[in-house]
DNA sequence: TCAACTACATTGGACTAACCAATATAAAGA
DNA sequence: TCTTTATATTGGTTAGTCCAATGTAGTTGA
């Protein structure tokens, strides 16, 4: 992973790690190339290659004769605004994919319906990996059915955030396990609305689908927060308990 | 532009030009590093730096011991799918910004309404630059008012495509000149719906706004196509006319 | 005849050792 | 004190060399 047989890439990873860990704070300067070369035990050309890659990623800015500066980034390492919450992502998906479904209902062909049906069948799989994949496929076919490449691109972006934003991904993981076949049923309803070419029903079905996800998220988040509080409480208990005094006596 | 005082960047530009011009076709191989070095009259490390930058841009793929391969790219130089038409972009904006407006109507504060009003006033400016900017500002405030960072990010992305996709940008430019103060009026209607906190009215007003843009686009596209046909006709006339024979006699 | 193997040429990967140019810093002068 | 100037630092670029992976052609053996 860190070494695609290309030295400079591993250096990029290492430097990125140092940036994220706060060793090289944003706005600050990286050590000079020669120093980095010594530090990572590679030659200066290799360091330069790494720096150029980082520059292309918009993580650093090179100023000739001055130094290499770490850019502050609202966007995380993968270009995602990591402050986006699972709720925001889901709400956005509801609105956008809802409209996409409505538009798709007016455009969908029988071939596309067949594709959706295949995905639907795969969703019955007990394997979460297969299930997840079928879920994604289902929504992507709908996005594609709009016949609007911009819409398709936007929805793809939503999935990208879903899969790559650490916070969002974690949240989605935890609600994934806890559901039965309710989700399949929801997708069936979307499918049926599309089959009937009923745009309003398709929009509504999609909204309901995401509404349930939001509710699940609320439950899970609540539970996690309670858990966190409980943990802190026990920590405090241990920290502030006078057991060591009591037992010492 | 081609020389930010950084040799490798100018090489990137040159290679990119050669790729786009078809000299280095997609799927094909670039000349070997040593040859490129000679061709552009720079050293091999510099060529390597350029290649790494191109790699980061996902324009080429390097295979050790084999060669540098040009990736086929649906996405253009700026990462935009250049095949997205102005119609698709506008339709997507209508759907997405329509929902954003509806959501914003339920959330908007008086301060945000004031911001919109400022943008509205600036829109009266005769300067297209000021006008354009105010327009963008207006929509951005609404996106921001949703309180949903994902939504905000998506809408920003739509504007990015609008401003940076050559085809889309050109189309929007040509309809920009031809309109009077109709556009201002449309924005006023959106504003009033938001002021009333009427989500449905806000959505509708936004839809109407984009509906008019689509209509304008249709007119302009039609006109351009007619123009193109006319041009070709006159070309053919010149090419195939026998004037040179007639006059020669 | 054809398949597999070997040897060689090609190509990218990386390093060392320099030198140049822009910038920043500290010392000297007005 | 402010400006100027010298010097050190830092990135920019080059040349030359060697290594490793890959591709290819020629040879060998069944």
């Amino acid at each position: 992973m860190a070494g695609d047989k290309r030295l400079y890439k591993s250096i990029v990873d290492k430097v990125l790690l140092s940036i994220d860990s706060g060793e090289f704070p944003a706005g600050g300067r990286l050590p000079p190339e020669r120093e980095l070369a010594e530090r990572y035990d590679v030659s200066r050309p290799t360091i330069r290659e790494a720096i150029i890659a980082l520059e292309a990623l918009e993580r650093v800015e090179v100023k000739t004769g001055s130094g290499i500066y770490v850019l502050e980034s609202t966007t995380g390492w993968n270009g995602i605004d990591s402050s986006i919450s699972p709720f925001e992502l889901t709400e956005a998906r509801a609105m956008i994919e809802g409209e996409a479904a409505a538009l798709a209902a007016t455009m969908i062909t029988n071939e596309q319906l067949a594709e959706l049906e295949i995905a639907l069948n795969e969703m019955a799989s007990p394997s979460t990996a297969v299930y997840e994949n079928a879920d994604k496929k289902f929504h992507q076919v709908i996005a594609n059915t709009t016949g609007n490449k911009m819409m398709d691109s936007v929805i793809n972006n939503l999935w990208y955030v879903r899969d790559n934003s650490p916070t969002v991904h974690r949240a989605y993981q935890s609600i994934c396990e806890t559901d039965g076949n309710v989700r399949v049923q929801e997708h069936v309803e979307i499918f049926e609305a599309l089959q009937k070419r009923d745009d309003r029903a398709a929009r509504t079905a999609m909204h309901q689908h995401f509404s349930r996800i939001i509710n699940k998220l609320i439950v899970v988040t609540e539970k996690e927060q309670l858990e966190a509080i409980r943990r802190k409480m026990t920590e405090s208990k241990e920290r502030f308990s006078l057991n060591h005094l009591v037992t010492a006596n």
Side-chain angles (χ1 to χ4, degrees), chain A residues 23-32 61 65-70:
Chain A
E23 185 181 354
F24 303 145
R29 248 183 16 175
L30 248 53
E61 187 187 2
S66 171
I68 307 159
Y69 295 83
V70 180

Side-chain angles (χ1 to χ4, degrees), chain A residues 7-207:
Chain A
L7 236 193
Y8 87 88
K9 282 194 177 178
S10 74
I11 303 294
V12 167
D13 289 337
K14 285 176 187 167
V15 173
L16 236 31
L17 222 62
S18 293
I19 290 176
D20 290 334
S21 77
E23 185 181 354
F24 303 145
R29 248 183 16 175
L30 248 53
E33 291 183 349
R34 292 163 176 85
E35 213 168 294
L36 287 171
E38 193 181 358
R39 171 179 183 149
Y40 295 116
D41 198 36
V42 295
S43 69
R44 198 152 85 90
T46 303
I47 291 293
R48 300 203 90 238
E49 293 180 344
I51 297 302
I52 283 164
L54 286 168
E55 204 179 10
L57 294 173
E58 295 185 329
R59 294 299 306 251
V60 301
E61 187 187 2
V62 177
K63 291 189 179 178
T64 306
S66 171
I68 307 159
Y69 295 83
V70 180
L71 294 175
E72 22 238 319
S73 57
T74 40
T75 64
W77 56 275
N78 44 15
I80 296 174
D81 185 340
S82 52
S83 69
I84 292 174
S85 72
F87 294 99
E88 289 174 304
L89 190 265
T90 310
E91 185 181 55
R93 286 187 66 193
M95 292 194 278
I96 293 168
E97 295 202 44
E99 293 309 297
L103 179 55
T106 67
M107 315 264 295
I108 200 161
T109 65
N110 289 332
E111 288 83 40
Q112 289 165 326
L113 281 169
E115 277 189 77
L116 288 179
E117 214 161 5
I118 292 170
L120 227 40
N121 288 330
E122 282 175 0
M123 257 184 244
S125 165
S127 154
T128 50
V130 173
Y131 178 92
E132 283 285 310
N133 203 34
D135 187 10
K136 190 170 187 170
K137 183 84 169 290
F138 187 89
H139 287 270
Q140 278 177 337
V141 169
I142 292 176
N144 201 256
T145 301
T146 62
N148 185 316
K149 286 192 288 293
M150 187 72 238
M151 212 62 190
D152 195 51
S153 159
V154 165
I155 291 173
N156 258 316
N157 186 25
L158 293 173
W159 277 92
Y160 183 80
V161 173
R162 195 205 111 131
D163 291 336
N164 294 92
S165 163
T167 38
V168 174
H169 191 245
R170 234 191 70 257
Y172 266 78
Q173 286 291 73
S174 52
I175 66 166
C176 184
E177 306 153 358
T178 59
D179 64 6
N181 47 16
V182 196
R183 281 171 61 176
V184 180
Q185 182 54 34
E186 283 170 358
H187 285 98
V188 168
E189 272 166 34
I190 297 170
F191 172 77
E192 286 174 350
L194 290 172
Q195 197 170 32
K196 282 184 261 177
R197 270 80 177 174
D198 185 340
D199 56 339
R200 298 186 59 174
R203 183 188 286 112
T204 306
M206 191 64 92
H207 283 173

